Amino acid sequence: MSVLVELERVTCSYGGEPVLVNVDLSVRAGDFIGAVGPSGSGKTTLLKAIAGVIKPIAGRVKHERGVTVGYVPQVETVNWYFPVTVREAVLMARRGGRFVPWPSKQDVIEADQILERLGLGGLGERHIRELSGGQQQRVFIGRALLRRASLLLLDEPTSGIDVKTRHEIMHVLHDLHHDGIAIVLSTHDLNGIAAHLPQLVCLNREVIASGAPHQVVTPVVLEKLYGAPLEVLSHSGMPVVVESYDEMADVSSSAVIPLREGHHGHPG
Amino acid sequence: MDTLVEPFQYGFFRHAIEVATVAGALCGLVGVYVVLRGMSYIGHGLSHAIFGGAVASYVTKINFYVGAGLWGIVSALLINKVARRRTIGADAAIGVVTTASFAVGLALISRFGGFTRNFEAALFGNVLGVTATDVWVVVGVALFAAAVVFFCYRELLFTTFDPEVAEISGVKTGRFDALLAVTLAATITATMNVLGVTLIAATLVIPAVTARLLTNRFALMLGLSVGLGAVCGFVGVYGSYYLNISSGASVVLTGVLLFAIAFVASGPTRVLPSGLRSESDVDSVPLPREPSRSV
């Protein structure tokens, strides 16, 4: 598979301490990669470096000729009171070069087809605030698709949404991946999302480990990543991360819980 | 009937109402971007900054529009540049640049004097004293602003809504921020003699927020804001003739009245038809971040 984007010893900073240090990563056509790590570990910065919107202070980011990147931001960063309808939001990504403000008929047809494909048919005239969390996320996936993105970057696509909606989003992403779009997403959700992806990058300012979930979701890697001991069980060949409460006086048994963090919105 | 058309027999009044209508529409157009970017303060700040340029052009005997215009554009670009330093923030950048510029104006007045009459006009506006040149300058800037919005509609909308994704999607957001900053500076310079430094901010903000209350669609908000701005200019100046009050204040008060009506009409006990509402009944969405950045 051809390399779409290559990061070579990339270090990024917002003016103070580096938030990414010496990161090497190749994103190839057909990849589906999850970036995992604690808050502030540089996941969002990694996505922005891949997109080319943050210039590294050291190292370099190489984009293959002709690669089109689509970026789906965290829903918490979107101004939902902005006066745009669903169709208008998608059409923002239409090709430039027209000297009139309105989109071409072809652009409108294409946007409506994308909305239909994403299960948002008939919602084009709604204001973006009138949608559910999963629908809102799909609007921004639609905007990236209108660009005919060959690489889709998603920042915490399942944060703040329920299990059913998470399944819907992941279903959409697997469909897009099946259609040949390379995907890189960041997530806090080890059991619900990361364990189901073909490839993970464990990030805490630097790459701690990378590979398939069964290779990298191990107690040793997780302790390095989160600074806390975590158990890993196996369920149908997939790793399941277990946070043990054995040492706590008031809790007598272990609980299998998805390792998710409550805080979002940090440029982690 | 004669009483109603009486003011139009005076040339100065016809000039005043023409320029106020066009200036209101212009401020309504540019104000949409100012409001949606959370930069209402910049209208206030930049008008003060351009006041420094107005005094400097008077002292150096340069044409007002050239001197104040250049001063305003430099101030706007400087704010844009300083605000991009993440550690400072847009509001602080506006505070530093504009108050410094205003202070330069005051220093020049105290050192050289002779600006007293123009000082009042610059601060409070003198719509009844506008010349044919003033009218043409406002019309020229309005056409320029309309052309900017028409030809850069998608890019300005994308940059205003989601600047990071716009950048990733190939929009040169820095260029469009700068273009908008220049347009705003030109708008304030052109309308300063008409509306005055102290009232320009209101004419930028009020039509846009009123339009926002009335619609959820960006294109419609632009149109409504332009229309409301023009109505405020026309009705404000016309009303000021009969009420014998300052025309600038009358324009702003007309806007405030329209805002109050829209606010009540679009509130919890709505009287607006469903197609002309901005608030949705859906409450299960996260609160938005407060946008705060450069123009």
Side-chain angles (χ1 to χ4, degrees):
Chain A
M1 288 286 187
S2 63
V3 175
L4 301 178
V5 183
E6 180 128 41
L7 276 66
E8 291 177 353
R9 303 193 68 75
V10 165
T11 298
C12 293
S13 161
Y14 294 106
E17 285 282 298
V19 287
L20 274 186
V21 180
N22 285 338
V23 170
D24 289 311
L25 179 70
S26 295
V27 181
R28 297 167 189 278
D31 273 352
F32 196 157
I33 301 172
V36 296
S39 292
S41 60
K43 298 189 294 295
T44 299
T45 306
L46 175 68
L47 294 181
K48 288 179 179 173
I50 294 171
V53 78
I54 288 180
K55 300 287 173 237
I57 56 170
R60 64 176 184 161
V61 180
K62 282 195 299 189
H63 287 87
E64 193 198 38
R65 216 177 154 80
V67 171
T68 308
V69 179
Y71 189 91
V72 180
Q74 286 189 38
V75 287
E76 285 85 353
T77 65
V78 174
N79 179 4
W80 294 106
Y81 288 85
F82 197 94
V84 282
T85 62
V86 169
R87 188 183 287 114
E88 281 176 326
V90 172
L91 283 167
M92 279 182 204
R94 68 185 186 269
R95 291 173 297 279
R98 268 174 73 82
F99 293 108
V100 289
W102 48 88
S104 67
K105 263 188 188 169
Q106 185 56 39
D107 285 333
V108 175
I109 290 169
E110 203 173 328
D112 284 347
Q113 283 171 344
I114 287 169
L115 289 174
E116 193 72 43
R117 180 184 175 191
L118 295 174
L120 300 172
L123 301 179
E125 288 299 303
R126 292 265 192 102
H127 183 249
I128 51 171
R129 190 170 164 257
E130 294 177 25
L131 304 182
S132 69
Q135 289 172 328
Q136 289 174 337
Q137 191 67 254
R138 277 179 274 166
V139 170
F140 293 104
I141 293 174
R143 187 173 65 180
L145 293 182
L146 192 73
R147 291 199 75 217
R148 296 178 185 152
S150 47
L151 169 60
L152 193 57
L153 306 174
L154 301 101
D155 195 3
E156 300 282 355
T158 58
S159 71
I161 56 178
D162 58 36
V163 175
K164 181 173 174 286
T165 311
R166 190 177 73 203
H167 286 177
E168 285 172 16
I169 296 289
M170 290 312 292
H171 187 74
V172 167
L173 293 181
H174 278 293
D175 278 355
L176 296 175
H177 178 238
H178 188 257
D179 290 349
I181 296 175
I183 296 173
V184 181
L185 59 81
S186 66
T187 182
H188 279 91
D189 191 345
L190 286 176
N191 290 331
I193 302 292
H196 300 267
L197 301 179
Q199 192 185 343
L200 296 181
V201 175
C202 300
L203 195 69
N204 197 350
R205 291 175 188 262
E206 55 187 358
V207 175
I208 305 291
S210 67
H214 71 272
Q215 293 171 318
V216 299
V217 181
T218 65
V220 175
V221 170
L222 294 178
E223 182 154 8
K224 267 190 182 177
L225 201 57
Y226 294 101
L230 293 160
E231 289 179 39
V232 179
L233 305 178
S234 181
H235 176 71
S236 304
M238 275 197 312
V240 179
V241 179
V242 180
E243 195 170 349
S244 173
Y245 292 97
D246 283 350
E247 291 170 15
M248 293 171 69
D250 57 342
V251 179
S252 58
S253 63
S254 306
V256 179
I257 58 167
L259 188 70
R260 304 180 73 180
E261 296 182 21
H263 173 73
H264 300 294
H266 188 282
Chain B
M1 191 66 187
D2 285 349
T3 315
L4 291 177
V5 295
E6 179 199 318
F8 291 98
Q9 63 188 295
Y10 304 113
F12 75 89
F13 185 84
R14 287 197 301 275
H15 270 157
I17 210 154
E18 284 164 10
V19 82
T21 305
V22 179
L26 169 61
C27 288
L29 181 68
V30 179
V32 167
Y33 295 95
V34 170
V35 165
L36 291 178
R37 287 164 172 246
M39 295 290 291
S40 302
Y41 181 47
I42 199 172
H44 192 71
L46 204 51
S47 59
H48 282 70
I50 293 172
F51 172 77
V55 179
S57 60
Y58 175 82
V59 169
T60 55
K61 298 190 176 6
I62 296 173
N63 177 280
F64 165 81
Y65 289 114
V66 175
L70 285 174
W71 190 289
I73 287 167
V74 170
S75 299
L77 293 175
L78 206 55
I79 290 168
N80 208 35
K81 180 93 178 160
V82 176
R84 282 178 168 257
R85 286 273 290 269
R86 299 166 67 99
T87 46
I88 293 176
D91 56 343
I94 295 165
V96 171
V97 174
T98 60
T99 49
S101 185
F102 190 66
V104 168
L106 292 178
L108 288 172
I109 289 172
S110 57
R111 176 70 181 81
F112 297 100
F115 193 71
T116 317
R117 189 165 166 277
N118 294 357
F119 180 77
E120 257 185 44
L123 279 184
F124 305 113
N126 182 19
V127 74
L128 300 178
V130 295
T131 61
T133 308
D134 294 329
V135 178
W136 283 114
V137 168
V138 173
V139 169
V141 172
L143 289 174
F144 169 72
V148 166
V149 170
F150 187 87
F151 292 115
C152 308
Y153 179 87
R154 182 188 75 93
E155 290 82 358
L156 287 174
L157 171 61
F158 208 167
T159 306
T160 302
F161 178 56
D162 200 343
E164 277 191 338
V165 180
E167 185 80 39
I168 292 167
S169 304
V171 177
K172 304 288 182 199
T173 56
R175 285 185 200 169
F176 290 100
D177 282 344
L179 181 61
L180 201 58
V182 168
T183 308
L184 179 61
T187 298
I188 292 173
T189 308
T191 55
M192 179 184 271
N193 282 338
V194 182
L195 300 162
V197 166
T198 50
L199 298 175
I200 285 175
T203 54
L204 281 169
V205 171
I206 293 171
V209 293
T210 307
R212 180 65 193 95
L213 286 171
L214 298 174
T215 184
N216 268 330
R217 302 178 67 100
F218 182 76
L220 190 53
M221 182 182 171
L222 271 177
L224 279 173
S225 185
V226 169
L228 287 166
V231 166
C232 292
F234 186 92
V235 174
V237 170
Y238 188 68
S240 73
Y241 178 85
Y242 293 100
L243 298 171
N244 198 23
I245 58 173
S246 153
S247 48
S250 180
V251 168
V252 172
L253 289 173
T254 306
V256 172
L257 181 66
L258 291 176
F259 171 79
I261 293 168
F263 189 79
V264 171
S266 62
T269 52
R270 298 162 185 161
V271 294
L272 285 172
S274 60
L276 205 64
R277 278 184 201 156
S278 64
E279 289 300 312
S280 103
D281 292 326
V282 179
D283 295 314
S284 60
V285 289
L287 288 171
R289 72 195 155 94
E290 187 62 40
S292 176
R293 57 200 178 77
S294 56
V295 281

